[in-house]
Amino acid sequence: MADDRDIKIYVKKPMSETTEFKCITEEIQLHIANGNKEKAVALGEKMAKIKPEDNIIDLSGFNMTAALLYQTRVLLTFTAEYSVQKNIAVEFLADTVSSAMYDYLKANERGYYDNISDGGAFTFYLLALKKDGDAAENIGKQFSMLCNISWPEIADLGKRIFTEGRQYFDKLINETTFEEV
């Protein structure tokens, strides 16, 4: 049997917490200095202001009760957050956009913010995304359930809100030209 006492195994030492913290801090400072943070805040506020009445989704043909408009807004807010997490790879910028969105809602639409901040509806939508099958279809079914209307047309509406909302928010994000760091 071979003698392996002289074999050395190289184990990469992890970056120290101080060094890692310093790198993150420097990256954040660069995003602040080059205007990325300001762009992220503006994007988050713009996304927070989107409402069903803004016609980014065609809602004609539906009797849009207050409850249905509310659930549509909740799904749009969820979709905005989802698009941010899917499209912005830099964690600091994604977090800044999301924070700005919720800060705007907290400051300007406190009742709506308080209603969505418990995360109940968002949890149902997140679970729908984890299910097998078509994500938009699963979202539509959850939308129908949250609306307390089990009509196929309402599930289809939820699917469209998610799909078209995602296209709209993806476009907003892609139009925001963040500088490379």
Side-chain angles (χ1 to χ4, degrees), residues 39 43 46-47 83-84 86-89 97 165-179:
K39 290 176 184 179
L43 176 61
K46 186 174 186 176
M47 293 172 97
S83 290
V84 166
K86 288 293 183 186
N87 289 293
I88 302 177
V97 172
R166 176 104 195 268
Q167 291 169 353
Y168 179 81
F169 291 120
D170 289 356
K171 183 176 180 251
L172 277 182
I173 292 166
N174 291 325
E175 288 174 348
T176 304
T177 52
F178 292 115
E179 302 298 321

Side-chain angles (χ1 to χ4, degrees), residues 94-110:
D95 290 348
T96 300
V97 172
S98 294
S99 293
M101 187 169 69
Y102 295 117
D103 287 348
Y104 176 86
L105 292 173
K106 188 188 290 185
N108 297 287
E109 298 182 49
R110 188 60 190 223

Side-chain angles (χ1 to χ4, degrees), residues 22-32 90 92 181:
K22 185 178 177 186
C23 289
I24 292 169
T25 302
E26 288 172 359
E27 182 180 340
I28 290 171
Q29 291 302 320
L30 288 171
H31 285 296
I32 292 169
V90 177
F92 170 72
V181 173

Side-chain angles (χ1 to χ4, degrees), residues 31-96:
H31 285 296
I32 292 169
N34 71 11
N36 281 349
K37 181 182 180 203
E38 193 174 301
K39 290 176 184 179
V41 169
L43 176 61
E45 290 176 355
K46 186 174 186 176
M47 293 172 97
K49 294 176 184 178
I50 300 300
K51 296 181 180 174
E53 300 85 13
D54 294 332
N55 296 319
I56 65 165
I57 312 294
D58 180 14
L59 300 173
S60 62
F62 289 94
N63 179 19
M64 296 305 290
T65 63
L68 194 53
L69 282 170
Y70 172 76
Q71 289 301 331
T72 300
R73 175 90 188 271
V74 171
L75 181 50
L76 284 170
T77 303
F78 172 82
T79 305
E81 174 71 24
Y82 180 76
S83 290
V84 166
Q85 299 307 318
K86 288 293 183 186
N87 289 293
I88 302 177
V90 177
E91 187 177 356
F92 170 72
L93 294 177
D95 290 348
T96 300

Side-chain angles (χ1 to χ4, degrees), residues 112-146:
Y112 176 69
Y113 173 81
D114 288 344
N115 285 338
I116 65 166
S117 65
D118 73 356
F122 281 24
T123 301
F124 284 108
Y125 290 133
L126 285 170
L127 291 172
L129 290 173
K130 293 178 188 277
K131 281 184 178 180
D132 290 337
D134 181 70
E137 198 167 300
N138 293 339
I139 291 284
K141 289 175 185 174
Q142 289 303 316
F143 177 77
S144 175
M145 184 207 61
L146 289 165

Side-chain angles (χ1 to χ4, degrees), residues 10-16:
Y10 173 76
V11 178
K12 182 179 178 185
K13 293 182 182 176
M15 191 184 312
S16 75

